Amino acid sequence: GLDDLSKVNLGVGKTLDPVKVPAMWRAGKKKEVRDYCINDVKLLRDIFYFGKEKKRIKYTQKDYGEIKGIVEIDTPW
């Protein structure tokens, strides 16, 4: 997921728990949800450029939710 990718490669994570976002929207916290979505796009962009520059990214390898380790792969972009 995006949170794992950003933590492993950039050292930062998502700003909110994504499970809570729909309830926040319904509660009228639209600015917070908007900021959360903008942050997600920035994280994705930063991971892309990280992979482009380093030619590799890391990801957390899991087996049915259990963390097995960190794997590094080449990025073709």
Side-chain angles (χ1 to χ4, degrees):
L2 182 58
D3 192 48
D4 283 339
L5 284 173
S6 60
K7 283 179 181 175
V8 170
N9 291 286
L10 306 174
V12 296
K14 294 176 76 129
T15 55
L16 294 173
D17 178 356
V19 173
K20 297 178 182 178
V21 172
M24 291 175 64
W25 182 265
R26 288 189 297 273
K29 297 181 178 181
K30 294 183 176 14
K31 182 182 180 332
E32 291 92 336
V33 172
R34 179 183 166 272
D35 292 344
Y36 165 78
C37 292
I38 289 170
N39 185 66
D40 272 12
V41 172
K42 288 178 181 178
L43 287 174
L44 185 57
R45 175 203 62 198
D46 292 348
I47 290 168
F48 171 80
Y49 284 120
F50 180 88
K52 186 173 182 177
E53 178 185 327
K54 305 288 185 186
K55 305 293 186 211
R56 297 178 71 72
I57 61 169
K58 298 175 187 175
Y59 72 93
T60 306
Q61 185 178 33
K62 297 180 182 178
D63 185 19
Y64 296 101
E66 182 182 336
I67 296 175
K68 296 294 182 178
I70 304 295
V71 178
E72 198 168 353
I73 59 170
D74 293 333
T75 52
W77 59 85

